[in-house]
Amino acid sequence: MIDKSQIKPLVEKAIEQTGIYIVDIRVEPGNRIVVELDSDDGMDVDSCARISREIESSLDRDKEDFELEVGSAGLTAPFKVRQQYLKNIGNEIEVITTDGRKLKGTLTEVDTDGYIIGIPVKEKAPGAKRPSIVIKPEAISFASTKTARYVITFK
């Protein structure tokens, strides 16, 4: 069976100096290889096809048969690597924490251990007739994040 450790260096070589980064590599039963990639500028079909050809040319089907799928991580797929958080600074994201909280806000900052989102909260100022929306920053560690994903909004 083909191992993930065989595939990763082939992918890394194929994406050298392209701005593309690895989100996930899986080798599923039956030697089904799934490579998820992303880039700050997004992924296109031509890039995926080129990378797929490079990986495939380095593997020997006569020695071991396989199925190879190279694609984008997907717009609404959960973030898996820090670069996806960095790419989405300024965008609205939805987070589910490991303790079950569901938060939605604008991703404002990313560091090595986590990130900060600005969550809109209704607050009524003393003497005001109506509450107003105030943005409260919430620091969340990567370790306490179950899932985080980009929120698509239509205006």
Side-chain angles (χ1 to χ4, degrees):
M1 182 164 166
I2 295 174
D3 188 64
K4 180 179 173 176
S5 62
Q6 285 177 266
I7 303 304
K8 188 174 180 183
L10 301 176
V11 176
E12 288 171 338
K13 183 176 183 242
I15 63 174
E16 266 180 347
Q17 300 176 350
T18 62
I20 296 171
Y21 52 87
I22 297 169
V23 173
D24 194 19
I25 299 173
R26 297 184 310 276
V27 180
E28 299 172 349
N31 278 341
R32 182 171 185 266
I33 304 163
V34 180
V35 179
E36 290 181 46
L37 304 171
D38 204 349
S39 119
D40 291 342
D41 301 321
M43 291 294 300
D44 60 36
V45 174
D46 292 336
S47 296
C48 291
R50 179 189 58 77
I51 294 165
S52 179
R53 284 190 300 274
E54 284 188 45
I55 296 167
E56 192 165 353
S57 70
S58 300
L59 297 171
D60 185 359
R61 279 193 192 275
D62 293 333
K63 185 177 176 185
E64 193 162 16
D65 197 24
F66 61 90
E67 177 185 343
L68 176 62
E69 178 184 321
V70 176
S72 166
L75 188 59
T76 60
F79 302 160
K80 294 180 181 176
V81 294
R82 184 173 177 269
Q83 290 100 318
Q84 290 177 296
Y85 288 88
L86 292 167
K87 173 183 175 178
N88 282 284
I89 288 177
N91 292 329
E92 189 175 19
I93 66 169
E94 180 180 86
V95 177
I96 298 175
T97 62
T98 53
D99 62 3
R101 295 184 307 144
K102 186 175 182 179
L103 308 169
K104 189 185 277 190
T106 302
L107 181 61
T108 59
E109 190 177 320
V110 178
D111 63 26
T112 55
D113 299 321
Y115 52 97
I116 297 174
I117 61 173
I119 302 172
V121 178
K122 285 185 181 181
E123 275 191 3
K124 188 174 177 186
K129 291 183 179 183
R130 295 186 185 149
S132 60
I133 303 292
V134 177
I135 305 297
K136 298 275 186 171
E138 173 101 19
I140 305 167
S141 70
F142 292 124
S144 67
T145 301
K146 185 175 182 181
T147 63
R149 67 181 74 221
Y150 173 73
V151 175
I152 298 174
T153 53
F154 299 96
K155 295 182 182 183

